[in-house]
Amino acid sequence: MADPHEPLLSTMEQETAYEPTEKIDVIGINENDAAFDDSKTPPFSWKKLWLFTGPGFLMSIAFLDPGNLEGDLQAGAIAGYSLLWLLFWATAMGLLIQLLSARLGVVTGRHLAELCRDEYPKWTRYLLWIMAEMALIGSDIQEVIGSAIALKILSHGFLPLWSGVLITASDCFLFLFLENYGVRKLEAVFAVLIATMAFSFAWMFGDTKPSGSELLVGIVVPKLSSKTIQQAVGVVGCIIMPHNVFLHSALVQSRDIDHTKRVRVKEALNYYTIESSVALVISFIINLFVTAVFAKSFYGTPEAETIGLSNAGYYLQDKYGGGLFPILYIWAAGLLAAGQSSTLTGTYAGQFIMGGFLNLRLKKWIRALITRSCAIIPTIIVALIFDTSDDMLDTLNEWLNVLQSIQIPFALIPLLYLVSKEDIMGVFRIGPVLKTLAWLVAALVIVINGYLMVEFFSTEATGLLFGSVICVFTAAYTAFVAYLIWRSIASSSWFSSSKFRNDMIE
């Protein structure tokens, strides 16, 4: 058991998510009153909750990116309201994973990428870093393409996809500009973008008037058929984003808490739990709006099978016409807000991932520029190749979904390994019940994403050469995942516990 009087945070010099001068001073957290009772949690404070509010909303943007919106609209168009229950439970699973990520960051004062660098052998951490970067690039392509589609709509087709990509790519400079004004100003910008999404999709919801009774039944009553299994997999697969697991563990460090007082750590965890839960409830409602709009508009119609992110707005316009505020532009405004906010958080996550795994002490603008360059060059190539056809864009999106599905275990398994480890978490390590639940959720998500990969490659892997490459990759991939799981199990066994080692030494 860790010494309760020892700080939970190492004082060794290391790469940090935020410099001390950048952190927000939370009222009451850093008090050094001699009469302070470390055994009692202070009473709830709305002012403290407000000061802790921010990281959870930035995290929630990954639940609202263009890839999620496409999954929502396709689920609504093809499955109607029948998958809303799955959207609810997928969001709940996502909340559990993100709370564990926040717990790791708060307790240790370090984020997931930094801890992976210290806890895994060199070859393992470099592989984990490559996988995290690939997931980030895949996600960024979807987000940038989504913004570019929105800009193309809003400009009446004047801006081609590739120019929209270049405009969206410049958001890293906006990000750097905002960072200079402090964390709270940056969080305020994200709050405006989330509000824009909420307003746009709520407006669409009001315009189309989906059935309230069918919506309620869809949330409460589980339904799944063979015809909607692909959409069901898509709904779950879009919720857990690998880069978001890394991101949240770093975002929570923007608040300055006293790690020498256990009750202060517990207090921070309580406020982050409330804040993250509220943020994901809002994200669920926004996703619900999108799913319900397309369920009402296209379920059971010929357009349902062909609808995608690039043509969804035009389908809505054809069905509902113009009006004072044409629904096409309301849709485009929400899509643009989703794309811009998610690319900004992607830039943020890229800094933490690169800096944490490689222990790079680079200036933030250099790191942001490197991160954006890694994603934007392939995105421009993609935009030039795929701008000629909506079907090609849909195919691209399927490949990118598979790419991110492949990376899921390389974020979830290290997270569960580290948050269960007493040497790292001390008294805040997760207990047997929560640990079992978390591993069940992780296993379910990995199996669902595995199904997506098998389904995709079984139709795409044509030819002996490509099939052979897929088989070799699958074998190596399975071996690496098995190694990570084995290491997690071995480290959590009684024989590897610190108590057992101390008993042996004595």
Side-chain angles (χ1 to χ4, degrees):
M1 183 71 67
D3 187 343
H5 301 292
E6 287 184 2
L8 296 169
L9 181 63
S10 172
T11 57
M12 291 178 63
E13 183 182 354
Q14 56 196 11
E15 172 66 17
T16 57
Y18 296 91
E19 297 298 329
T21 55
E22 297 175 317
K23 294 186 177 184
I24 297 168
D25 183 32
V26 182
I27 294 175
I29 289 295
N30 289 323
E31 62 191 22
N32 290 311
D33 188 354
F36 174 74
D37 187 354
D38 195 29
S39 64
K40 296 181 180 179
T41 304
F44 176 82
S45 164
W46 287 103
K47 188 171 186 179
K48 283 185 187 178
L49 178 61
W50 171 246
L51 291 173
F52 275 108
T53 298
F57 282 87
L58 267 68
M59 168 274 294
S60 73
I61 286 170
F63 290 67
L64 298 167
D65 69 1
N68 275 283
L69 297 184
E70 182 158 33
D72 293 338
L73 66 89
Q74 289 177 341
I78 296 173
Y81 302 95
S82 65
L83 295 180
L84 289 176
W85 67 274
L86 189 59
L87 175 63
F88 173 81
W89 286 108
T91 304
M93 291 191 295
L95 175 61
L96 173 62
I97 296 299
Q98 295 302 149
L99 289 179
L100 292 179
S101 174
R103 186 188 191 101
L104 183 70
V106 170
V107 172
T108 65
R110 306 180 71 197
H111 58 80
L112 180 57
E114 292 176 308
L115 291 166
C116 286
R117 185 186 73 227
D118 291 343
E119 290 296 319
Y120 286 101
K122 182 179 289 187
W123 70 271
T124 307
R125 67 172 181 259
Y126 280 128
L127 269 179
L128 289 173
W129 169 63
I130 291 170
M131 294 301 180
E133 291 288 356
M134 288 175 64
L136 184 61
I137 290 171
S139 174
D140 206 21
I141 290 174
Q142 286 181 310
E143 293 155 0
V144 171
I145 291 290
S147 289
I149 290 171
L151 289 171
K152 187 176 181 179
I153 294 172
L154 293 171
S155 67
H156 295 274
F158 177 76
L159 292 174
L161 211 58
W162 65 266
S163 64
V165 168
L166 290 176
I167 293 170
T168 307
S170 64
D171 66 11
C172 68
F173 299 107
L174 172 63
F175 167 78
L176 294 169
F177 173 76
L178 293 172
E179 266 202 317
N180 291 330
Y181 288 91
V183 172
R184 291 299 266 181
K185 300 294 192 301
L186 187 65
E187 291 171 349
V189 171
F190 284 107
V192 170
L193 292 171
I194 292 173
T196 301
M197 281 185 272
F199 177 79
S200 298
F201 300 135
W203 186 292
M204 290 169 51
F205 186 85
D207 266 0
T208 56
K209 298 179 175 61
S211 168
S213 59
E214 289 185 71
L215 189 149
L216 183 61
V217 170
I219 295 174
V220 175
V221 181
K223 292 180 183 178
L224 191 61
S225 69
S226 58
K227 294 180 180 179
T228 60
I229 189 69
Q230 187 174 354
Q231 285 67 45
V233 170
V235 167
V236 178
C238 289
I239 290 296
I240 309 293
M241 306 291 284
H243 74 273
N244 209 38
V245 178
F246 287 95
L247 176 64
H248 201 193
S249 65
L251 290 174
V252 294
Q253 295 172 48
S254 60
R255 272 56 177 176
D256 190 16
I257 68 173
D258 186 353
H259 287 81
T260 63
K261 293 183 173 63
R262 189 178 309 176
V263 73
R264 293 309 188 190
V265 176
K266 184 178 179 181
E267 181 185 40
L269 292 174
N270 291 339
Y271 284 117
Y272 279 132
T273 299
I274 297 170
E275 183 243 3
S276 297
S277 300
V278 171
L280 288 194
V281 166
I282 293 172
S283 77
F284 168 72
I285 293 171
I286 294 173
N287 282 315
L288 182 147
F289 284 159
V290 176
T291 304
V293 164
F294 285 89
K296 168 65 185 300
S297 306
F298 301 107
Y299 178 57
T301 67
E303 295 93 340
E305 296 294 335
T306 59
I307 199 165
L309 205 61
S310 56
N311 58 20
Y314 298 104
Y315 280 177
L316 286 170
Q317 183 75 1
D318 290 342
K319 192 171 185 69
Y320 295 101
L324 183 61
F325 296 103
I327 197 168
L328 172 65
Y329 300 111
I330 299 294
W331 161 255
L335 179 59
L336 182 62
Q340 288 295 321
S341 58
S342 53
T343 52
L344 285 171
T345 54
T347 302
Y348 223 2
Q351 291 193 57
F352 296 135
I353 289 170
M354 182 175 289
F357 275 111
L358 304 183
N359 198 24
L360 293 178
R361 290 178 174 84
L362 297 176
K363 291 183 178 179
K364 286 190 174 182
W365 71 268
I366 297 177
R367 234 187 289 165
L369 197 59
I370 294 172
T371 302
R372 292 309 278 143
S373 299
C374 289
I376 213 61
I377 292 172
T379 307
I380 293 173
I381 295 171
V382 162
L384 290 171
I385 294 173
F386 289 85
D387 195 18
T388 57
S389 168
D390 290 343
D391 291 338
M392 292 181 70
L393 278 174
D394 290 339
T395 301
L396 168 68
N397 190 59
E398 289 177 8
W399 276 94
L400 293 175
N401 284 339
V402 170
L403 174 64
Q404 292 180 78
S405 298
I406 289 171
Q407 316 305 329
I408 286 289
F410 309 123
L412 292 190
I413 296 173
L415 171 66
L416 298 186
Y417 161 58
L418 293 167
V419 83
S420 305
K421 196 171 182 183
E422 184 181 358
D423 293 346
I424 292 173
M425 299 293 290
V427 296
F428 290 101
R429 72 189 187 281
I430 59 175
V433 174
L434 183 56
K435 183 177 179 180
T436 301
L437 178 61
W439 274 105
L440 286 174
V441 168
L444 180 61
V445 172
I446 291 171
V447 168
I448 289 173
N449 282 278
Y451 172 85
L452 175 63
M453 289 186 285
V454 171
E455 187 75 11
F456 180 77
F457 285 126
S458 64
T459 57
E460 296 292 331
T462 56
L464 180 61
L465 179 60
F466 189 49
S468 300
V469 171
I470 293 298
C471 288
V472 172
F473 168 79
T474 302
Y477 175 85
T478 304
F480 189 39
V481 172
Y483 164 76
L484 293 175
I485 294 173
W486 170 83
R487 186 181 177 91
S488 300
I489 294 172
S491 69
S492 63
S493 68
W494 183 76
F495 291 101
S496 63
S497 69
S498 57
K499 182 180 184 303
F500 176 79
R501 289 197 300 271
N502 291 338
D503 289 345
M504 290 295 292
I505 293 172
E506 292 173 3

